[in-house]
Amino acid sequence: FPVTIGVEPQSETVWRQADKHHVPRIALVNKLDRVGGDYFAVVDDINGKLHGNALAMQIPVGEAENFNAIIDVLSKRMATFEGDGGSEVVWHDVPEDLKEKTDALYNKIVERAGDFDDALAEKYLDGKEISVAEIKAAVRKGTITEDITPVFAGAAFKNKGVQLLLDGVIDYLPSPVDIPPVAGTDPDTKAEIIREADSSAPFCALAFKIMIDPFVGSLTFIRVYSGTLEAGSYVYNVTKGKKERVSRLLKMHANKREEI
């Protein structure tokens, strides 16, 4: 979400699609290094326009060109982004003038997390110590059920906050075993078949993109739902109604590729 605009029409379109297909999500308030950037205003905008159950997980430090750090509320630490292009995350203590704001947001996150974990809620009410792992696990539950949208801060162009956002992907978004199995149709009998996310199940995948590579030729990008695919094996192409040989398997890293 661009900070100076908040929720744009395109954001609304994508959000409706995610709602329709029950896709859990996290959000990034981007471009906080621009004039007029207001992280918490965008969080409110997500709630107001999208009813997104947005939950601020961080506090940006500095405004516009002075945006230089992000407070991770759960760990109560402040990250700065040093080195070549901000690639190195350096952790510091939270500044004194921001400790009260950090504590208040921490309590808000824990209270919200307690809605998804009774044991955690009981600990919080009893004043007992709660680990960061316990809070993250509860927030993850709420994210997967689409009852919470954790919101992160950053300036992607300057590589500020991107690393923490990727940590959030790991912490809060579902793995294949956290979501219901995929349902498909048998091409012969037309009966519905359920495929669990299990490597020992029959192979099932969706080919979602075709690309012509000048060095390799035609590349087919796939998303695997079940089973295992090996180079040199054959798969049944439902669209063409015939078997095809998988000659090579490549793992893509942007414009680089690794044969596997």
Side-chain angles (χ1 to χ4, degrees), residues 95-234:
E96 285 294 329
D97 61 330
L98 289 172
K99 283 187 175 179
E100 186 176 339
K101 187 174 184 178
T102 302
D103 289 340
L105 188 52
Y106 174 88
N107 289 332
K108 186 175 180 181
I109 294 172
V110 175
E111 287 173 8
R112 194 75 180 90
D115 293 340
F116 309 99
D117 188 322
D118 292 339
L120 185 148
E122 191 173 327
K123 272 188 174 183
Y124 178 69
L125 293 173
D126 291 342
K128 295 180 180 178
E129 186 175 343
I130 304 171
S131 70
V132 172
E134 287 177 298
I135 301 170
K136 285 184 175 181
V139 172
R140 179 187 177 92
K141 287 180 184 177
T143 305
I144 291 173
T145 57
E146 301 171 65
D147 292 304
I148 293 179
T149 303
V151 183
F152 296 82
F157 182 71
K158 295 184 178 177
N159 210 20
K160 293 181 178 179
V162 176
Q163 303 92 330
L164 308 187
L165 173 70
L166 293 176
D167 288 342
V169 170
I170 301 300
D171 290 334
Y172 304 117
L173 290 181
S175 78
V177 297
D178 292 320
I179 57 178
V182 66
T185 304
D186 187 301
D188 296 323
T189 66
K190 308 304 178 186
E192 185 179 80
I193 300 175
I194 301 296
R195 283 282 183 267
E196 301 280 352
D198 185 348
S199 60
S200 63
F203 176 71
C204 179
L206 171 69
F208 63 88
K209 178 181 178 180
I210 304 293
M211 186 177 83
I212 303 301
D213 186 286
F215 301 102
V216 181
S218 178
L219 289 176
T220 303
F221 289 77
I222 63 170
R223 187 262 170 93
V224 178
Y225 289 99
S226 65
T228 304
L229 183 64
E230 296 181 2
S233 62
Y234 284 83

Side-chain angles (χ1 to χ4, degrees), residues 20-43:
K20 178 182 178 181
H21 297 287
H22 301 291
V23 178
R25 71 216 73 159
I26 63 178
L28 169 70
V29 179
N30 195 18
K31 302 181 181 178
L32 282 169
D33 56 339
R34 306 286 181 89
V35 175
D38 190 330
Y39 171 74
F40 290 100
V42 178
V43 172

Side-chain angles (χ1 to χ4, degrees), residues 27-107:
L28 169 70
V29 179
N30 195 18
K31 302 181 181 178
L32 282 169
D33 56 339
R34 306 286 181 89
V35 175
D38 190 330
Y39 171 74
F40 290 100
V42 178
V43 172
D44 290 340
D45 205 31
I46 294 171
N47 284 326
K49 291 183 179 178
L50 302 175
H51 309 291
N53 299 313
L55 182 64
M57 304 299 293
Q58 299 174 331
I59 299 173
V61 180
E63 297 180 356
E65 66 272 9
N66 294 320
F67 169 59
N68 56 18
I70 296 171
I71 294 173
D72 177 66
V73 174
L74 290 186
S75 66
K76 296 186 178 180
R77 296 185 300 164
M78 183 178 74
T80 57
F81 306 91
E82 317 289 347
D84 185 24
S87 59
E88 182 184 353
V89 180
V90 181
W91 293 99
H92 313 265
D93 292 333
V94 174
E96 285 294 329
D97 61 330
L98 289 172
K99 283 187 175 179
E100 186 176 339
K101 187 174 184 178
T102 302
D103 289 340
L105 188 52
Y106 174 88
N107 289 332

